[in-house]
Amino acid sequence: MTGEAAIAEVRATHFGPKNEVLNLKSESTSKPEGKWKGLFQALRKEEALNEPRHVLEVLTEVGITEKYSQVKTAIQSQISKTDERMPDLFDKSFGIDIFVGNIRDRSHTEVVQEKQKLLQTPEPVKNILAALQPNSQDDIIAIKLIGDSILLTSGNGVEIQLTLPTEKKMQKDPLKNYLTLQINAQKMKGQSAETAIVVSNFAAQNNAGALLETTQTIVDYVAKVRDILPEEISRESQVKQAALVKEKQRQDWLIDKSIVENKPNQIRPPSEYAKTPEELEERMKTLKYLPAEAEVRQVFKGREMEFDDFCFKNEIYELYTQKFIDSISKYLISQAAKYQDRIDSSQIRPIRILEVGAGRGQLTYFIEQKMRELGIRDDQVELIATDNKSWSAARGETVTQVKSLDAENAVKIYGPDIVLFSWMPPGEDLSPPLRKHSVQEYILIGEDMCGNERTWGTNVISEGGIPDYEKDGFDIQYLSPGNDESLNIVHGQLGRGQIREGSAPTNKSSTIAFIRR
Amino acid sequence: MISDKLFFLEKEIAKLLLDKLDSSEITVERASEISAFVIKSLPENLTDEQLGRILPSLDDQFVELASIVNIHLKEYQEKNRQNLITEAEKLIHQNKLDQANNMMKDFFYKKI
């Protein structure tokens, strides 16, 4: 005799006078009068009434199911009100577990003791347990509500599962919509061939009347458990609570988009400007001095031709100004907020902005300073500066930590949402790695001499076809003025050739975003 | 084999419960309790005589059954009354007047 025989199942009712199944699909439910209306109408038909006992059995089942449903709702409601936890008691495979036994808390134990009579195993269930284990005293120690089923588990491991009919099941598959009592003694201590025979016999002997009576007592039993249920125990409420906490965390984590609109740009007043290129140079030696755009223009007024030399001498390709940092930071914040919306509460993480070819790290440093000043936290936006150090190693000093990584590896390792690349070295298109992995957007700053034609897609003018960035699923978006399609939101940009009077437009530094479709 | 009387009684109860459910006079739970009680109280192998004895107590717990119980009870009483009259007439013809008198008294007091 195998263990499989230690499972018995008893089913009842829902068969009509000629053994046909009452199919209520076309008549049932969801009418305002009541969800069982369709069933009752079917039962009122003469052919159904000619089997009155069957009608009475069905009415009995319906009531039990209703009662179970109310009990279950009440238990769930009670559980959801509590914060107490006993998580180690729960079987992960079930939604709601209610343990009658093993209550640790003293006050709860007292509650159980006081009402111990209510917890006595129902007589029909007791009879089943006694039949299976004539020489052993066994009681139900745990109740689990699983969907439309109640699973009772005894101390010795006998499982008795009662499945109730539902309107939903009746609509879906009337053949499977029956009241079922399943006894599983496979996990019972001391299970033997005799056990299996007893279970089989029990199934053979049982009838609809006995099943209804057993069902009634089990549902009553669960209702009584509700009455004594201490304020406790629900993995479901725990999960719900955790979800609420996570959602609250997410709400706290989301960037307040009004920052971008409401925080005015703080510009240094003219009285604090450097007066000469030499003074400006001196101030900028700290690497942390961020001049106003007007300040730079004023310093070089009448000495415009010296600006190139100034940049060359100080190894500046892009001279970052207050206005530029303010406007690009605000753009990055609004984009970060957009990318945040794609992240659900279970995967909260900072939006990662990676700068490649960061040199001394000034761009990352200034943007980070600006973001923190605007109230963006590091759990919202994270900035990382990287450089392959091929040209800047000799310069040594950086204003923030700059990690030694080339663009390809940096993107691979850090999985950024946004990549910044200021002044890509001319001649070589280093943009392909920026379109890989997690990158949603990369922003190029500099003149169009940076990279090569493929970087900007201008190669298609002579070669035809479509730009590489489009092939990779990215669209181009001009951010700084100077292009008809520009968003015109990044200002104050000063490339190394930009102050010189009469500078050709091609020498103008600009900011262009490539955004994943 | 279920008797005709039991069959019609169950049918009337089933119809009554469905009517009351339809007009929202009772709840689903109440109808369920009554149904379970009826199934339990009236086994399928009940004889007419046993049914007659059980019938008066059927509406003790569930007043909703009173109207049906009354109708069936009256039938039983009428049948008993007819049987009694026939029996009493026989006794009177046999000049067993005391016996007939006692039988009538028994019936009268039982009815009260």
Side-chain angles (χ1 to χ4, degrees):
Chain A
M1 189 70 66
T2 65
E4 283 174 20
I7 300 176
E9 191 175 281
V10 189
R11 293 173 181 171
T13 71
H14 281 102
F15 290 90
K18 294 171 188 168
N19 258 1
E20 80 279 19
V21 176
L22 286 176
N23 186 350
L24 304 161
K25 195 173 181 179
S26 59
E27 304 177 68
S28 69
T29 70
S30 66
K31 292 179 185 172
E33 299 97 309
K35 61 179 178 174
W36 300 104
K37 188 92 176 169
L39 174 63
F40 298 152
Q41 278 172 0
L43 293 176
R44 284 164 69 84
K45 288 178 181 167
E46 193 59 26
E47 59 183 27
L49 281 172
N50 280 336
E51 278 289 319
R53 182 154 292 251
H54 166 70
V55 174
L56 294 171
E57 283 171 356
V58 173
L59 288 178
T60 308
E61 276 185 53
V62 167
I64 293 168
T65 304
E66 270 297 301
K67 188 173 181 180
Y68 168 70
S69 169
Q70 287 169 12
V71 167
K72 193 177 159 192
T73 306
I75 290 174
Q76 283 172 329
S77 156
Q78 192 169 342
I79 287 169
S80 67
K81 287 176 189 165
T82 177
D83 286 336
E84 290 190 44
R85 308 272 179 270
M86 297 175 76
D88 53 331
L89 286 177
F90 296 112
D91 181 340
K92 285 178 183 170
S93 62
F94 299 119
I96 309 163
D97 302 345
I98 299 153
F99 281 77
V100 181
N102 300 329
I103 295 169
R104 294 182 198 156
D105 188 281
R106 201 179 155 195
S107 61
H108 292 165
T109 309
E110 283 166 5
V111 173
V112 174
Q113 290 301 326
E114 271 176 23
K115 302 188 179 182
Q116 199 175 22
K117 280 184 183 175
L118 293 175
L119 284 171
Q120 281 182 354
T121 304
E123 202 57 37
V125 177
K126 192 101 181 162
N127 292 341
I128 296 169
L129 297 176
L132 289 168
Q133 315 154 88
N135 303 320
S136 173
Q137 179 74 22
D138 195 7
D139 275 304
I140 295 301
I141 59 158
I143 302 172
K144 296 177 182 179
L145 306 184
I146 315 158
D148 302 309
S149 297
I150 301 170
L151 179 68
L152 306 176
T153 308
S154 80
N156 286 347
V158 179
E159 292 179 333
I160 298 173
Q161 182 164 347
L162 178 71
T163 305
L164 295 150
T166 65
E167 273 291 291
K168 197 175 170 185
K169 278 194 280 185
M170 201 174 283
Q171 282 188 22
K172 196 175 172 187
D173 187 357
L175 280 169
K176 290 186 178 170
N177 187 44
Y178 28 60
L179 182 62
T180 308
L181 185 70
Q182 193 178 56
I183 304 163
N184 183 353
Q186 283 180 306
K187 297 176 193 166
M188 191 185 89
K189 288 176 194 165
Q191 196 247 115
S192 65
E194 286 74 26
T195 310
I197 293 166
V198 173
V199 174
S200 300
N201 286 343
F202 181 84
Q205 287 163 11
N206 220 312
N207 55 45
L211 178 56
L212 286 174
E213 194 181 336
T214 308
T215 302
Q216 185 67 58
T217 57
I218 291 175
V219 171
D220 286 346
Y221 178 58
V222 176
K224 285 170 186 168
V225 171
R226 175 196 64 177
D227 295 336
I228 62 145
L229 188 71
E231 290 187 357
E232 41 147 296
I233 313 181
S234 165
R235 191 170 59 80
E236 189 188 57
S237 73
Q238 202 177 1
V239 170
K240 268 189 195 166
Q241 195 66 29
L244 281 174
V245 169
K246 280 194 170 175
E247 189 48 39
K248 189 177 179 307
Q249 281 174 348
R250 185 175 185 275
Q251 291 304 321
D252 292 341
W253 168 74
L254 287 175
I255 290 168
D256 176 6
K257 291 169 190 163
S258 65
I259 285 174
V260 176
E261 293 148 18
N262 298 339
K263 293 258 183 170
N265 187 10
Q266 289 181 341
I267 302 291
R268 179 176 297 105
S271 59
E272 293 178 16
Y273 286 177
K275 301 289 184 288
T276 61
E278 292 74 23
E279 190 183 348
L280 181 64
E281 185 179 0
E282 194 57 32
R283 289 185 186 188
M284 290 179 67
K285 275 184 182 169
T286 63
L287 302 178
K288 293 181 180 178
Y289 185 74
L290 192 61
E293 183 194 1
E295 179 182 4
V296 182
R297 291 187 185 280
Q298 186 173 299
V299 162
F300 285 96
K301 195 169 185 183
R303 299 170 67 178
E304 285 85 358
M305 298 302 286
E306 293 176 33
F307 183 64
D308 258 356
D309 291 340
F310 176 86
C311 290
F312 183 78
K313 186 179 164 194
N314 291 289
E315 294 169 329
I316 294 169
Y317 288 88
E318 187 79 22
L319 198 156
Y320 301 120
T321 66
Q322 286 183 313
K323 193 187 271 186
F324 174 73
I325 292 298
D326 183 79
S327 55
I328 197 169
S329 296
K330 285 177 176 172
Y331 170 75
L332 288 169
I333 290 168
S334 64
Q335 291 300 92
K338 191 170 89 180
Y339 299 133
Q340 271 188 332
D341 287 341
R342 300 174 188 176
I343 297 172
D344 69 31
S345 58
S346 64
Q347 293 174 327
I348 292 177
R349 60 168 179 80
I351 297 299
R352 192 164 283 172
I353 300 176
L354 173 77
E355 186 187 2
V356 296
R360 285 171 289 208
Q362 279 180 295
L363 180 61
T364 292
Y365 172 79
F366 288 132
I367 291 173
E368 189 163 23
Q369 292 291 309
K370 175 53 73 176
M371 285 195 176
R372 303 299 172 243
E373 180 192 315
L374 291 170
I376 302 299
R377 302 186 307 269
D378 56 6
D379 66 313
Q380 295 172 315
V381 176
E382 184 182 39
L383 289 113
I384 300 149
T386 61
D387 195 288
N388 66 6
K389 306 275 174 89
S390 59
W391 67 273
S392 57
R395 292 171 189 83
E397 194 182 359
T398 59
V399 72
T400 187
Q401 188 183 13
V402 178
K403 297 181 191 290
S404 297
L405 281 169
D406 61 25
E408 186 156 8
N409 281 317
V411 168
K412 198 169 165 185
I413 289 168
Y414 287 107
D417 301 277
I418 302 172
V419 181
L420 299 173
F421 202 158
S422 180
W423 285 77
M424 184 186 287
E428 188 184 357
D429 178 23
L430 297 177
S431 68
L434 312 186
R435 296 190 285 270
K436 288 183 179 170
H437 307 293
S438 58
V439 179
Q440 298 300 311
E441 176 173 352
Y442 64 97
I443 298 169
L444 302 183
I445 299 162
E447 296 178 2
D448 56 7
M449 59 170 280
C450 297
N452 63 24
E453 287 186 326
R454 304 194 85 85
T455 308
W456 312 101
T458 48
N459 59 313
V460 299
I461 298 168
S462 55
E463 296 170 15
I466 56 171
D468 291 351
Y469 60 80
E470 276 191 30
K471 282 183 199 164
D472 290 342
F474 283 74
D475 286 329
I476 193 166
Q477 178 64 64
Y478 298 91
L479 302 179
S480 48
N483 185 293
D484 292 343
E485 293 171 5
S486 173
L487 291 178
N488 200 12
I489 52 176
V490 171
H491 302 279
Q493 205 163 343
L494 285 179
R496 63 191 311 167
Q498 215 148 327
I499 291 217
R500 190 175 51 197
E501 260 186 39
S503 160
T506 48
N507 287 344
K508 267 193 162 182
S509 182
S510 58
T511 302
I512 299 172
F514 296 80
I515 302 169
R516 194 185 287 278
R517 269 177 235 128
Chain B
M1 182 67 186
I2 189 166
S3 74
D4 285 350
K5 288 192 184 303
L6 183 56
F7 171 83
F8 286 114
L9 177 66
E10 285 184 354
K11 188 173 177 180
E12 282 174 49
I13 291 172
K15 191 166 184 313
L16 174 90
L17 294 177
L18 289 168
D19 286 345
K20 284 187 180 294
L21 283 167
D22 191 47
S23 56
S24 303
E25 286 176 63
I26 54 170
T27 62
V28 171
E29 290 85 346
R30 182 72 174 171
S32 169
E33 285 170 17
I34 296 171
S35 300
F37 173 74
V38 171
I39 292 169
K40 194 177 174 185
S41 305
L42 305 176
E44 284 182 299
N45 54 359
L46 211 60
T47 64
D48 286 357
E49 195 187 345
Q50 289 169 324
L51 179 60
R53 281 203 296 271
I54 292 170
L55 203 55
S57 61
L58 211 54
D59 60 351
D60 289 354
Q61 199 173 336
F62 296 102
V63 70
E64 291 89 342
L65 299 176
S67 59
I68 291 175
V69 168
N70 278 341
I71 292 167
H72 283 262
L73 209 50
K74 274 182 186 172
E75 282 175 17
Y76 272 92
Q77 283 173 346
E78 182 58 25
K79 190 184 169 190
N80 283 346
R81 197 178 69 87
Q82 287 299 336
N83 288 344
L84 181 81
I85 290 169
T86 311
E87 198 61 28
E89 279 174 354
K90 276 185 194 170
L91 290 170
I92 289 166
H93 283 304
Q94 291 165 11
N95 208 20
K96 294 176 180 173
L97 297 177
D98 285 346
Q99 219 175 323
N101 189 32
N102 287 340
M103 203 165 71
M104 299 290 271
K105 276 182 182 171
D106 276 355
F107 176 76
F108 179 75
Y109 288 125
K110 271 183 189 169
K111 196 178 175 187
I112 288 173

